[in-house]
């Protein structure tokens, strides 16, 4: 079908304008999830989406509300021959991260359009995808004839790890939709090689969680007489120093090797970066490269004492630890023990733990996504990678399905630039990327749900 830039999709394309209008409405609903009880109120976006599908025949809509206002929506377009074609699930979320309004130069909840961009919280994470998925789902329902079943799932609470959204559905209503073949955020950004080559990203997995709290104990006493005391604060300081010096082993996984190869470095630099000794060569992706190449340990919370004149007998340090696929919780504890040694007594408490997940690249859905990218960008190389953070796609993988992050950004949008937009001030999306993502989802459903009619959603 060829890559559809804004010049290829006419300005009067009703599907694009429906997508933009829906995106603006979702941004304006301001479903901010700040982790506090009652925040999010995704019911506003659920109601907007319900109204969007109101006159659509041939669909089934389910609403789930585990707590007041925390509504998730499941829209299903049944397939005509589910034995011949696999189901496909668009897994989207409707909540957004908080904003610090004093640092925004654009209104965060208006969906303001300026210079070919739409500004607002959630425009990139991930309401533009949510809107495009909804429009394509409605178009499939209107067209009919889809062999496989299509689900559009718009969940609450993704920003807080899905406890009232995808995680809750997976635990309480796992049969509400198919988890077999899921597409979610975000993917489709680019890495530019030093030789001018282009690579397009598909997220195939994400790091796991291995949160820890390390406790140390010391002598209590009056702050005026510290002599001879075993000080908990000194111990926790040394614990922090040793953890900062820890160097977990760098992976040799296929995803890491392909990520490094996308930069087209000279052989010496390639070897250096693969070993984790030259992250600076990755430029704007240095921090991301570091994150996906090994276990990461971030020291985020430190606590000790209450009154300034009392020596605390207890101190603790909380760690946000992210694991690679295949790294167990026992492995995490062994890394910590090796880093901390045996001369300081400490205990390790496990907090949130969740193993990393990854989907195969030898899979029909991954191949269909890759085909869309190579159709849109004939000279690109499709590169699978993992997300350093989390997404709802992990629940699909945990339930035996696959999950891929897929959108379509124009080649000017690098992976580093898209990362900078996530939870940022003045978050914004290029409108041509909204057009491209819409076209990409149309192409994907045509290939996956209409295998005998791949031209099903060709647009002029």
């Amino acid at each position: 079908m060829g890559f559809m830039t804004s010049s290829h999709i006419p300005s009067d394309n009703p599907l694009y304008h429906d997508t933009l209008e829906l995106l603006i409405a979702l941004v304006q609903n301001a479903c901010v999830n700040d982790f506090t009880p009652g925040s999010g109120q995704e019911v506003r976006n659920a109601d907007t989406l319900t109204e969007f599908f109101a006159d659509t025949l041939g669909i089934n809509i389910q609403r789930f509300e585990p707590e007041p206002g925390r509504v998730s929506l499941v829209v299903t377009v049944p397939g005509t021959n589910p034995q011949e074609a696999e189901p496909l699930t668009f897994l989207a979320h409707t909540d957004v991260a908080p904003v610090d309004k004093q640092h925004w130069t654009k209104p965060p909840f208006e969906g303001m359009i300026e210079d070919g961009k739409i500004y607002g919280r959630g425009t990139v994470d991930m309401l533009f995808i949510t809107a495009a998925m909804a429009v394509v789902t409605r178009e499939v329902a209107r067209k009919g004839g889809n062999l496989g079943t299509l689900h559009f799932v718009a969940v609450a609470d993704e920003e807080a790890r899905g406890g009232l959204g995808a995680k809750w559905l997976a635990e309480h209503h796992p049969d509400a939709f198919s988890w077999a073949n899921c597409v979610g955020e975000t993917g489709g950004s680019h890495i530019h090689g030093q030789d001018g080559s282009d690579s397009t990203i598909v997220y195939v997995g994400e790091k796991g969680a291995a949160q820890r709290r390390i406790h140390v104990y010391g002598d209590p006493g009056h702050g005026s007489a510290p002599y001879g005391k075993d000080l908990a604060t000194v111990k926790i300081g040394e614990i922090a120093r040793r953890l900062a010096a820890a160097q977990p082993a760098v992976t040799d996984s296929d995803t890491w090797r392909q990520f490094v190869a996308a930069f087209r470095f000279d052989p010496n630099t390639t070897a250096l970066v693969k070993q984790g000794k030259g992250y600076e060569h990755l430029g704007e992706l240095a921090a991301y490269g570091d994150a996906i190449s090994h276990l990461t340990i971030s020291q985020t919370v430190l606590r000790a004492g209450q009154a300034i004149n009392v020596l605390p007998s207890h101190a603790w340090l909380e760690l946000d630890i992210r694991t690679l696929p295949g790294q167990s919780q026992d492995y995490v504890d062994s890394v910590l023990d090796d880093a901390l040694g045996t001369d300081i007594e400490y205990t390790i408490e496990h907090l949130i733990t969740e193993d990393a997940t990854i989907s195969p690249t030898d899979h029909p859905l991954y191949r269909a996504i890759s085909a869309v990218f190579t159709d849109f960008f004939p000279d690109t190389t499709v590169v699978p990678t993992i997300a350093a953070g989390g997404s709802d796609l992990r629940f699909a993988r945990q339930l035996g399905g696959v999950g891929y992050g897929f959108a379509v950004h124009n080649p000017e949008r690098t992976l580093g630039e898209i990362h900078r937009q996530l939870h940022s001030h003045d978050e914004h999306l290029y409108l041509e990327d909204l057009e491209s993502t819409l076209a990409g989802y149309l192409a994907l459903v045509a290939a996956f749900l209409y295998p005998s009619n791949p031209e099903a959603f060709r647009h002029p």
Side-chain angles (χ1 to χ4, degrees):
M1 61 185 286
F3 171 53
M4 293 184 176
T5 65
S6 55
S7 62
H8 291 89
I9 298 181
S11 60
D12 60 351
N13 183 336
L15 295 185
Y16 164 68
H17 286 283
D18 286 351
T19 307
L20 180 57
E21 182 179 352
L22 180 58
L23 171 57
I24 292 172
L26 296 176
V27 170
Q28 290 177 346
N29 283 334
C31 296
V32 176
N33 184 354
D34 63 7
F35 290 39
T36 61
S39 71
Q41 290 301 299
E42 296 89 346
V43 62
R44 295 192 289 270
N45 275 339
D47 288 346
T48 294
L49 289 166
T50 300
E51 182 180 356
F52 176 80
F53 286 103
D55 298 325
T56 307
L57 301 177
I59 64 170
N60 177 55
I61 299 180
Q62 303 173 77
R63 290 170 68 101
F64 300 92
E65 191 171 12
E67 289 186 1
R70 312 307 300 274
V71 177
S72 295
L73 202 69
V74 178
V75 180
T76 300
V77 186
T80 62
N81 192 347
Q83 287 72 41
E84 185 175 341
E86 288 278 316
L88 178 65
T89 297
F90 286 149
L91 187 57
H93 69 80
T94 57
D95 60 328
V96 300
V99 301
D100 188 349
K101 290 185 179 180
Q102 66 177 331
H103 293 294
W104 282 63
T105 66
K106 313 292 183 184
F109 299 113
E110 289 185 13
M112 185 185 80
I113 295 173
E114 183 178 280
D115 297 328
K117 299 182 285 262
I118 178 170
Y119 288 85
R121 175 58 89 220
T123 50
V124 173
D125 181 14
M126 64 173 289
L127 297 180
F128 87 101
I129 293 176
T130 303
M133 287 177 168
V135 169
V136 172
T137 300
R138 189 179 68 175
E139 187 71 0
V140 170
R142 287 174 170 176
K143 182 178 181 61
N146 50 299
L147 300 183
T149 296
L150 176 62
H151 302 281
F152 167 66
V153 185
V155 298
D157 205 35
E158 190 274 345
E159 297 292 350
R161 298 190 66 83
L164 297 174
K167 184 176 188 292
W168 186 87
L169 287 170
E171 293 173 348
H172 296 278
H173 297 279
D175 299 325
F177 58 92
S178 173
W179 298 88
N181 303 292
C182 292
V183 173
E185 59 181 337
T186 172
S189 55
H190 299 262
I191 294 175
H192 299 150
Q194 291 193 342
D195 59 355
S197 60
D198 176 67
S199 295
T200 308
I201 293 297
V202 180
Y203 284 104
V204 299
E206 59 196 63
K207 297 187 78 175
Q211 296 179 359
R212 297 291 191 270
R213 182 181 290 133
I214 298 183
H215 299 267
V216 297
Y217 299 89
D219 296 333
H222 197 284
S224 65
Y227 178 78
K229 293 293 194 297
D230 183 24
L231 299 175
T233 51
V234 174
K235 287 182 178 179
I236 205 66
E238 178 60 16
I239 291 282
R241 188 196 66 79
R242 294 181 186 183
L243 289 174
Q247 295 183 325
V250 173
T251 183
D252 190 36
S253 66
D254 287 341
T255 51
W256 173 238
R257 290 197 301 269
Q258 290 183 66
F259 173 77
V260 176
F263 291 84
R264 306 295 195 271
F265 295 128
D266 62 84
N268 290 336
T269 303
T270 296
L272 189 68
V273 176
K274 281 183 179 179
Q275 297 169 20
K277 298 178 181 178
Y279 293 120
E280 67 275 8
H281 294 285
L282 300 175
E284 64 179 357
L285 291 173
Y288 172 74
D290 174 77
I292 66 169
S293 64
H294 59 81
L295 177 84
T296 53
I297 304 171
S298 293
Q299 305 180 39
T300 54
V301 178
L302 179 63
R303 294 282 188 269
Q306 298 182 53
I308 196 169
N309 64 340
V310 177
L311 299 176
S313 60
H314 178 208
W316 66 96
L317 177 63
E318 293 183 357
L319 309 174
D320 181 2
I321 300 176
R322 305 296 176 111
T323 58
L324 292 175
Q327 294 178 337
S328 68
Q329 300 299 322
D330 287 342
Y331 169 75
V332 174
D333 288 336
S334 70
V335 170
L336 295 178
D337 287 337
D338 289 345
L340 296 179
T342 59
D343 59 321
I344 298 178
E345 291 187 7
Y346 61 88
T347 60
I348 299 177
E349 178 185 359
H350 287 212
L351 303 177
I352 293 175
T353 60
E354 200 170 16
D355 288 344
T357 62
I358 193 166
S359 298
T361 55
D362 183 17
H363 189 276
L365 182 54
Y366 182 85
R367 288 193 289 271
I369 289 170
S370 296
V372 172
F373 281 139
T374 54
D375 190 20
F376 281 30
F377 313 112
D379 297 324
T380 202
T381 299
V382 179
V383 174
T385 191
I386 63 172
S391 79
D392 287 334
L393 289 172
R394 70 187 186 279
F395 301 115
R397 302 185 192 107
Q398 291 170 3
L399 291 173
V402 297
Y404 301 105
F406 169 59
V408 184
H409 294 279
N410 282 259
E412 293 80 4
R413 246 67 73 205
T414 64
L415 179 59
E417 179 176 348
I418 297 302
H419 280 181
R420 287 196 301 273
Q421 291 301 318
L422 303 178
H423 298 187
S424 68
H425 307 316
D426 286 347
E427 179 182 351
H428 60 269
L429 176 80
Y430 283 82
L431 292 177
E432 62 179 357
D433 290 354
L434 182 66
E435 297 173 341
S436 301
T437 296
L438 172 64
Y441 288 145
L442 289 169
L444 180 63
V445 298
F448 207 76
L449 301 181
Y450 298 81
S452 60
N453 183 20
E455 304 296 309
F457 291 101
R458 177 183 289 276
H459 286 271

